[in-house]
């Protein structure tokens, strides 16, 4: 249960916003003016009525006791989760100034909460029943796996021929060929049930229109794709850890079969990426006792937010299980022993030089790795001609920011938080530079999301 006295900060609430527009709109609704009949109870429910443009106020209710993160219900027509009304209600509650008093939920809020928790219990019971019923016919599963492997091998062999044709004809021809050829090749990889190859082929197709220097980038990506193809075709000769990584990169992710690890997991960062087909949510966690950094991945159909949603800076007492693969940070969330709650936990920081070295070491286990999670300690955001970098406090080494990071509003939040003084920054360090995701000021300040 969520204790009535435990409040989130405004930054933790706003870290749940699906985009910058929702963050701005929700902030405007974080005052008492548009709200009426707001309340909360010790079981973790917050509710209220928000005046809108129509004659009837919007009914908004949030379940903050859900161990997987808050759940929302609002009568507004928005398709964003959480909507601006849910964000505004949580900001009002987080203020702790009496605008959201303790009480009993109204009937409309109570019915929704009761229904949610009943469905959660039924789902848990169904999952337990399913796991006890066994895994079906193992021989049939083996034959299905063999047939899929044969299709992937055929797809990888075809892709090798297409890469050879591209290089034989010259990279300059890729610009005139257009994206259609790459999309057709990607579709062939989907037919071969090699989703990882399909995704990398689509990335290849976008490179010729990516600006100056594209031939070099195209050659680099072709080399990595060739390496992945060859890794699959020669997987029997690889060490087991690397072979598992190749299977994962191809699209055979397997299941999270690692032993459960219970820890107090700090939510380091949460952000979504989307394309026309899928929305992917990444949540980075840090284990206070284990010192391990882990990744939760979840997916939603295009236009729908994935679950769970965990506010940055809160701590979750839970078990996780790892996915197979050398150096694989991905985990699945298991049993949760308490809802997320604030705690004074901060991961230890590295220098920029140590962060770059960690990425280099990780590439030995996974040559296709774009980045690794890293916390930098005592760094200062510093302009570098028309770019930015994070320099250590003594000025000896620095990491450049990625182009993506330089175009985000989070850069200016980071600069403002620092004010020229050292800060601790968590983010992703890779061959394109460093992408900051969360920062802490010197001392005992709270985490600030930069996503």
């Amino acid at each position: 249960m969520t204790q009535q006295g435990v409040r989130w900060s405004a930054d933790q609430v706003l870290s749940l916003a699906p985009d910058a527009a929702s963050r701005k709109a929700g902030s405007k609704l974080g005052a008492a003016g548009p709200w009426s009949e707001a309340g909360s109870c010790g079981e973790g429910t917050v509710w209220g009525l928000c005046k809108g443009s129509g004659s009837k106020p919007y009914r908004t209710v949030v379940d903050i006791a859900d161990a997987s993160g808050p759940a929302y219900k609002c009568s507004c027509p928005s398709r964003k989760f959480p909507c601006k009304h849910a964000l505004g209600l949580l900001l009002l509650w987080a203020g702790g100034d009496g605008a959201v008093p303790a009480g009993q939920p109204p009937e409309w809020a109570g019915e929704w909460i009761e229904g949610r928790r009943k469905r959660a219990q039924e789902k848990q019971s169904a999952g337990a029943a399913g796991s006890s019923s066994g895994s079906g016919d193992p021989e049939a599963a083996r034959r299905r796996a063999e047939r899929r492997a044969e299709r992937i091998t055929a797809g990888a062999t075809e892709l090798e021929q297409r890469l050879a044709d591209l290089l034989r004809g010259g990279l300059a021809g890729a610009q005139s060929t257009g994206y259609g050829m790459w999309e057709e090749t990607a579709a062939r990889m989907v037919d071969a049930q090699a989703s990882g190859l399909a995704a990398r082929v689509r990335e290849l197709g976008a490179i010729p229109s990516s600006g100056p220097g594209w031939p070099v980038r195209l050659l680099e990506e072709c080399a990595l794709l060739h390496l992945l193809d060859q890794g699959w075709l020669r997987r029997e000769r690889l060490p087991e850890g690397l072979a598992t990584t190749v299977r994962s990169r191809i699209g055979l992710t397997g299941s999270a079969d690692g032993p459960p690890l219970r820890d107090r997991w700090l939510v380091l960062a949460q952000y979504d990426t989307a394309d026309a087909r899928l929305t992917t949510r990444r949540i980075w966690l840090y284990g206070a006792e284990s010192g391990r950094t882990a990744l939760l991945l979840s997916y939603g159909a295009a236009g729908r937010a994935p679950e769970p949603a965990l506010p940055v800076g809160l701590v979750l007492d839970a078990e996780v299980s790892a996915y197979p693969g050398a150096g694989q940070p991905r985990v699945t969330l298991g049993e949760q022993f308490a809802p997320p709650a604030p705690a004074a936990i901060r991961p230890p920081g590295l220098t920029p030089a140590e962060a770059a070295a960690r990425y280099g070491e990780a590439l030995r286990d996974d040559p296709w790795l774009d980045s690794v999670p890293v916390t930098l300690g005592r760094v200062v955001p510093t302009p570098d001609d028309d770019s930015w970098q994070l320099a250590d406090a003594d000025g000896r080494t620095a990491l450049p920011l990625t182009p993506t990071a330089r175009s985000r509003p989070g850069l200016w939040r980071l600069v403002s938080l620092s004010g020229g003084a050292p800060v601790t920054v968590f983010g992703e360090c890779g061959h394109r530079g460093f992408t900051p995701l969360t920062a802490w000021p010197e001392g005992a300040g709270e985490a600030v999301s930069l996503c």
Side-chain angles (χ1 to χ4, degrees):
M1 297 299 179
T2 297
Q3 298 175 0
Q4 189 65 35
V6 175
R7 303 279 176 172
W8 301 349
S9 69
D11 279 330
Q12 287 165 345
V13 171
L14 292 175
S15 71
L16 297 170
D19 51 40
S22 297
R23 176 190 293 264
K24 183 177 179 180
S27 297
K28 293 180 179 179
L29 293 175
W35 293 96
S36 62
E37 301 182 29
S40 63
C41 68
E43 294 186 348
T45 307
V46 182
W47 63 86
L49 302 177
C50 186
K51 180 176 175 55
S53 56
S55 58
K56 292 184 178 180
Y58 296 123
R59 292 177 170 182
T60 307
V61 57
V62 182
D63 179 9
I64 55 177
D66 192 317
S68 298
Y72 322 93
K73 174 69 174 180
C74 186
S75 59
C76 76
S78 174
R79 299 185 64 180
K80 296 181 179 180
F81 295 95
C83 66
K84 63 181 180 180
H85 305 103
L87 289 170
L89 179 60
L90 285 176
L91 286 172
L92 192 67
W93 166 76
D97 57 1
V100 185
Q104 291 300 313
E107 183 178 358
W108 57 268
E111 288 179 352
W112 179 74
I113 290 294
E114 183 180 354
R116 262 189 59 78
R117 294 179 181 168
K118 183 179 179 180
R119 288 191 296 272
Q121 291 176 352
E122 292 173 348
K123 183 178 180 181
Q124 185 176 11
S125 300
S131 62
S132 63
S133 64
S135 57
D137 184 356
E139 179 60 25
R142 184 188 64 80
R143 290 196 297 269
R144 287 194 299 270
E146 288 181 349
R147 288 195 295 269
R148 183 175 184 183
E150 290 172 358
R151 286 193 289 268
I152 293 174
T153 296
T157 302
E158 179 182 346
L159 183 55
E160 282 291 276
Q161 184 59 53
R162 297 203 177 198
L163 290 174
D165 292 343
L166 170 66
L167 297 177
R168 188 179 298 110
L171 294 180
Q175 196 168 32
S176 59
T177 301
Y179 189 76
M181 184 270 288
W182 299 105
E183 183 58 37
E184 188 269 337
T185 303
R188 296 281 292 171
M189 297 305 103
V190 171
D191 292 341
Q193 293 186 295
S195 59
L197 291 179
R200 299 191 79 94
V201 167
R202 289 192 177 98
E203 291 174 1
L204 280 182
I207 292 177
S209 59
S210 63
W214 68 264
V216 173
R217 293 191 294 274
L218 181 60
L219 184 60
E220 290 173 347
E221 292 302 319
C222 284
L224 286 172
L225 189 52
H226 168 68
L227 183 64
L228 183 56
D229 273 344
Q230 291 299 313
W232 171 261
L233 296 173
R234 294 171 169 79
R235 60 192 181 280
E236 294 84 1
R237 308 179 196 175
L238 299 178
E240 179 55 33
L242 183 57
T244 302
T245 298
V246 167
R247 287 194 289 269
S248 175
R249 291 294 181 183
I250 287 285
L252 299 173
T253 55
S255 58
D257 55 3
L261 173 63
R262 181 176 178 178
D263 208 332
R264 297 172 65 225
W265 296 99
L266 171 67
V267 182
L268 288 172
Q270 173 183 296
Y271 68 95
D272 296 350
T273 56
D275 57 27
R277 301 173 179 82
L278 201 66
T279 297
T280 302
R281 172 163 294 167
R282 291 172 172 82
I283 301 177
W284 286 108
L285 305 174
Y286 171 74
E289 279 76 41
S290 65
R292 176 176 177 175
T293 303
L295 175 65
L296 290 176
L297 277 180
S298 57
Y299 303 94
R304 296 190 62 85
E307 293 184 349
L310 298 174
V312 173
L314 297 189
V315 170
L316 183 65
D317 182 4
E319 291 180 341
V320 301
S321 296
Y323 280 79
Q328 170 67 261
R330 186 184 176 188
V331 298
T332 187
L333 193 60
E335 184 176 358
Q336 299 145 66
F337 303 96
I345 297 175
R346 187 181 299 188
L350 303 178
T351 67
E354 290 169 336
R358 176 167 294 185
Y359 176 58
E361 292 168 0
L363 287 175
R364 292 183 301 184
D365 293 328
D366 186 351
W368 306 276
L369 190 63
D370 285 330
S371 61
V372 293
V374 168
T375 300
L376 299 177
R378 291 184 53 77
V379 291
V380 180
T382 307
D384 179 29
D385 292 330
D386 60 347
S387 183
W388 284 82
Q389 61 185 7
L390 292 176
D392 60 12
D394 61 16
R396 293 180 181 175
T397 57
L399 282 175
L401 297 190
T402 60
T404 300
R406 298 197 300 267
S407 63
R408 289 178 175 172
L411 170 60
W412 303 112
R413 290 201 293 273
L414 176 60
V415 173
S416 176
L417 179 70
S418 166
V423 290
T424 299
V425 184
F426 169 77
E428 296 169 349
C429 179
H431 62 96
R432 296 182 181 89
F434 186 87
T435 301
L437 301 174
T438 306
W440 297 262
E442 286 282 89
E446 296 177 337
V448 175
S449 175
L450 307 174
C451 300

